[in-house]
Amino acid sequence: MPGHGKPILRDGPTGDWLGTFLGHKGAVWSAMLNADTSRAVTASADYTAKVWNAFTGQELVSLPHNHIVKSADFADDDVTVITGSQDKAVRIFDITRPDQPSTFATHSAPVRSVKWSRHKNVVISAGDDKRINVFDLRAPNAVKTLEISDSISNISLTGDGRILSCASGKRVVVWDVDAFRVVKDIAMDYEVSVAAVNPQRTRVVTGGKSDLLIRSCEFESGKELEVHKGHHGPVHDACFSPDGEIYATGSEDGTVRLWQSNPGSAYGLWQLRKI
């Protein structure tokens, strides 16, 4: 997606192309759907985030920034958009008033990722300053700061917003969002580019920063269960389906790949292939 600046929407069960969002004039770094999949938000190197009608592809609003926008997400009300930018700021937009964002200057380096936790109703941001900040939409300062010893490559939330994972150096650190206490700190023997935990809290998947391999590990022990080849460029994101049956990985090679949590089972695309 970063390469051509044209976010693509595909059908989950079949992988079929549904449409392309046209309007960005730079690389697109992030794309998210809202809870009912009626809207999409994208973050771009053209100094904008854009909100789209996911059914028609129509651009609903363009949210101006002062620098490259690396990440964007929806809050629960679908009119509030959170963005993280290269100018070190997290912004909160009411898309009915796109020229009046609230700005949170909580990082001392560019913001790499922003997430909205539906469970706690808080914003979680990760920066190149090795910090993860947590704050309430009503508070101008971070209400919690998580310090990381190595550079942060990626953060991820489970679908219910209860578990936060972070890929940092050769570690995967996992927090319980209720108390923001570390529930798992897994040491790897390779640099990790992404990490995601499944909804059942039994698996964690990772992307290797240099070898480009996708690994599936036991959550409790960190034991490696499966290793997958396929990507030919750095892997920047990973996430599980709501039921945990599949997980997706997105790469700089221009592909999103889907992997089965239980290889060989009849599910989605794999079920269709057997018909």
Side-chain angles (χ1 to χ4, degrees):
M1 187 168 58
H4 56 51
K6 297 176 183 177
I8 295 171
L9 185 66
R10 292 185 179 274
D11 181 69
T14 67
D16 289 344
W17 174 87
L18 297 177
T20 301
F21 300 112
L22 301 175
H24 280 301
K25 295 179 172 59
V28 175
W29 287 101
S30 168
M32 291 289 291
L33 290 167
N34 65 346
D36 67 5
T37 70
S38 63
R39 291 181 174 182
V41 61
T42 52
S44 173
D46 65 7
Y47 292 25
T48 71
K50 292 182 183 291
V51 179
W52 313 81
N53 182 314
F55 300 130
T56 67
Q58 176 189 3
E59 180 183 317
L60 300 178
V61 66
S62 184
L63 308 173
H65 289 69
N66 301 321
H67 212 305
I68 293 168
V69 190
K70 296 300 290 287
S71 184
D73 198 2
F74 285 103
D76 281 341
D77 59 12
D78 294 341
V79 298
T80 303
V81 168
I82 307 146
T83 66
S85 176
Q86 200 78 0
D87 66 2
K88 310 175 188 177
V90 174
R91 291 178 174 83
I92 312 297
F93 288 87
D94 177 338
I95 65 172
T96 64
R97 297 178 296 166
D99 58 341
Q100 300 176 42
S102 299
T103 301
F104 296 76
T106 57
H107 288 279
S108 60
V111 179
R112 179 172 290 271
S113 183
V114 292
K115 301 289 183 184
W116 170 256
S117 171
R118 293 173 176 82
H119 173 57
K120 292 289 284 185
N121 292 331
V122 292
V123 178
I124 301 172
S125 63
D128 288 341
D129 53 4
K130 303 179 184 178
R131 297 170 68 187
I132 296 174
N133 289 327
V134 183
F135 52 92
D136 189 290
L137 289 179
R138 299 163 296 183
N141 300 309
V143 297
K144 186 78 174 178
T145 296
L146 311 173
E147 302 281 352
I148 307 294
S149 58
D150 292 302
S151 297
I152 299 169
S153 299
N154 166 269
I155 61 170
S156 176
L157 279 171
T158 51
D160 60 10
R162 292 176 178 268
I163 296 291
L164 171 70
S165 57
C166 171
S168 175
K170 293 184 177 181
R171 298 163 60 208
V172 175
V173 186
V174 183
W175 291 268
D176 175 349
V177 172
D178 273 319
F180 282 100
R181 62 182 179 87
V182 175
V183 295
K184 193 64 61 180
D185 191 339
I186 307 171
M188 303 295 187
D189 58 5
Y190 54 90
E191 293 278 333
V192 185
S193 62
V194 297
V197 177
N198 70 343
Q200 294 79 17
R201 281 66 151 171
T202 58
R203 293 279 188 100
V204 56
V205 297
T206 67
K209 186 169 284 189
S210 58
D211 62 18
L212 312 181
L213 297 176
I214 304 300
R215 296 171 172 87
S216 178
C217 307
E218 281 186 353
F219 180 71
E220 285 301 323
S221 67
K223 178 184 176 182
E224 190 174 284
L225 301 175
E226 299 161 5
V227 181
H228 301 292
K229 296 180 180 180
H231 284 301
H232 303 288
V235 180
H236 289 301
D237 209 356
C239 67
F240 277 89
S241 61
D243 59 10
E245 288 291 328
I246 59 173
Y247 52 95
T249 53
S251 169
E252 228 172 88
D253 64 11
T255 67
V256 173
R257 294 181 181 269
L258 302 181
W259 315 87
Q260 284 187 291
S261 298
N262 302 293
S265 62
Y267 183 90
L269 285 166
W270 295 269
Q271 186 175 34
L272 292 172
R273 287 173 182 170
K274 292 184 178 182
I275 295 175

